[in-house]
Amino acid sequence: MRTIASLKRWFPFLSWPRPDARLLRGEFMAGMTVGLMLVPQGVAYAALAGMPLVTGIYASLIPALVAVLFSASTRLGVGPTALTSLLIGASLTGLAEPGSADWVALAAWMAIMSGLLQLLMGMARFGWLLNLVTSPVLSGFTQAAALLILGSQLASLLGLRANWGALITTPSPGLFDLTAAAFGLGSLALLVLARRWRPGFPAAIVVVGAAGALSWALGYADAGGAVVGTLPSGLPAPYWPGSLPWDSFAALIMPVLVVTLVSFLETASSAKVESQRSGERWNENQDLIGQGLAKISSGLCGSFATSASFSRSAINLYAGAKSGWATVFAIVLVLVVLLWLTPALYHVPQSVLAAVVVTAVTSLIKPKALLGLWRISRVEAVIAGVTFALTLVTAPRMYWGVLVGLLMNLSHFLYQRLHPRIIEVGLHPDGSLRDRHLWALPPLAPHLLALRMDAELDFASASALERRVADHLAAHPDVLHLCLMAQPINRIDVTGVETFAHLLGLMQSRGGTLHLSGLKLPAEQVLRQAGLLTPASGLALYRTDAEALIALQHLPPSPLPQDQGLAC
């Protein structure tokens, strides 16, 4: 049994339900729905990444199969995504010519390096590192990236033959391909309406197919129109990108880190929804392994890094997928297209692919989210705003927005840890202990300072507590009793032990008493091992705050040794 459990942990597909007719029927319908979205989106996202269009289909085949076999979340729509594709295209700008052999090799190396990093993180159980990226940072980056994607697709969507500079200097209707604009804008309108009326309907393949048929009927390609063109048929051949020069490796380090981070955050957003619906805990480390292997396989197929698409994952769940079998059926459909149906994509206008991309990313633009942050936390709203602005300003090196956002967020976290909330408590009329100065409450007892620190007593907070006590004692030399309401303290480290010893010695030197109320077992064990909780004059211990209140209200005129003992 232990061997079987171990095998299922390393090979999650062994836990899939045994297929029967009823299960396969439902999985087939869900798989077809997602598969019909994979092909047009894969081709469109390959264009966004600057890759040969067929590599978008390659990225939807073997990498998707590897991901579903080795990931814990089996109902995710893995393949090319808008954000990851944009990051790849932006990161390689200036390093090679889009679509060239050098560009493909660099994109493949990005996929392999990012995949290896995710694989190692998953095997080392480092999935917790993703918690360092907060929602404000991700929101600011995502919305800026969505605007950049829209900007990159606007020329193709409108059929602009020249660059924007030429249009501004010499505006002319002749700079536009009106037929391409009609295809692009018409497809965009249909896709938006379909998403609003029938979210689970695979409108992309229907619109792409209809546009391709109309383009063929009009002879748009023969007239010089921008179409998808010839795509090679057949399975992807094994690909090795060759040696990676040191200067190229150095240039790819930061983009690879950001692609790793952003792509797995995309996976996390989808996987958390799936785990909530299934009622099971999300295994982020196994998903790191699965996604890492998928990226490696994508690079070895001559394609680019993959991720989990939130929209395709949502549609997979909406269509009723129960297991990884739905993804297997979607992959079979992609395989059929790759083997026999790629010629059908020849006449599809490129403006229609731009419409597919634009439709997919418009859901990422949520200006109300940034406004809502301002009402909740102005500091985090500023972090999101800076991340948003830097992502736009530093494009195509967009990773600076994420890195600065992460640094600001960690700095804010560290500042909060170094400045914990420390209040002097008083007894509120409702019987609770609250901030004495905020609620204008009297002291708990004469010559007493009663404090509560809402933080752990460690290296980050210890100096703040010691400083607060020292300042108060210096201003009030008549204080003989210090009471620490220790219920919020979950942990004490070595620095905290030294601070506690210093406070105890300080009160003993004044002829006073250190009162300790509600100390939790983990903190108590540390202090006992340090020999600081032995019965002695100048130290009083209480199990609960109620017990401490009774004792404090009956303090003698001069401090007397008292030891109430602690419950474990």
Side-chain angles (χ1 to χ4, degrees), residues 52 76 102 105 139 156 163-164 229 267 277 323 331 409 446 511 565:
L76 302 185
D102 290 340
S139 177
S156 179
N163 56 43
W164 291 106
T267 301
R277 291 197 177 188
S323 66
I331 293 169
N409 186 70

Side-chain angles (χ1 to χ4, degrees), residues 377-393:
S377 170
R378 294 189 177 184
V379 173
E380 293 189 278
V382 169
I383 293 174
V386 171
T387 304
F388 175 84
L390 280 179
T391 302
L392 290 177
V393 171

Side-chain angles (χ1 to χ4, degrees), residues 37 42-43 73 112 129 133 189 233 262 377 382 384 425 429 523 534 560:
M37 291 183 63
V43 174
S73 305
I112 293 172
L129 285 173
V133 184
S233 300
V262 171
S377 170
V382 169
V425 298
T534 56
L560 295 175

Side-chain angles (χ1 to χ4, degrees), residues 217-249:
L218 296 175
Y220 179 62
D222 297 333
V227 296
V228 168
T230 303
L231 296 179
S233 300
L235 295 174
Y239 175 83
W240 177 249
S243 60
L244 184 64
W246 174 253
D247 56 343
S248 298
F249 175 79

Side-chain angles (χ1 to χ4, degrees), residues 190-216:
L190 291 174
L191 289 170
V192 170
L193 290 174
R195 186 176 64 182
R196 179 172 300 179
W197 290 342
R198 293 287 300 276
F201 181 71
I205 193 67
V206 175
V207 171
V208 167
L214 183 59
S215 170
W216 171 78

Side-chain angles (χ1 to χ4, degrees), residues 228-234 336-348:
V228 168
T230 303
L231 296 179
S233 300
V336 170
V337 171
L338 194 57
L339 291 178
W340 295 293
L341 300 181
T342 51
L345 298 173
Y346 179 92
H347 290 280
V348 176

Side-chain angles (χ1 to χ4, degrees), residues 86-87 89-94 148 391-399:
L86 173 67
L87 282 169
S91 301
L92 298 182
T93 299
L148 291 172
T391 302
L392 290 177
V393 171
T394 59
R397 303 293 180 253
M398 301 180 301
Y399 47 79

Side-chain angles (χ1 to χ4, degrees), residues 424-428 433 436 441-451 472 476 478-483 485 513 515 542 547-558 562:
E424 182 180 356
V425 298
L427 185 60
H428 193 272
L433 294 175
R436 188 174 80 81
L441 303 173
L444 292 179
H447 313 297
L448 169 70
L449 173 62
L451 296 179
H472 188 90
H476 302 84
D478 61 323
V479 172
L480 296 176
H481 300 276
L482 171 63
C483 181
M485 301 298 180
T513 304
H515 304 263
Y542 309 98
E547 184 180 342
L549 286 174
I550 295 173
L552 293 174
Q553 290 171 357
H554 295 85
L555 285 175
S558 60
Q562 38 185 324

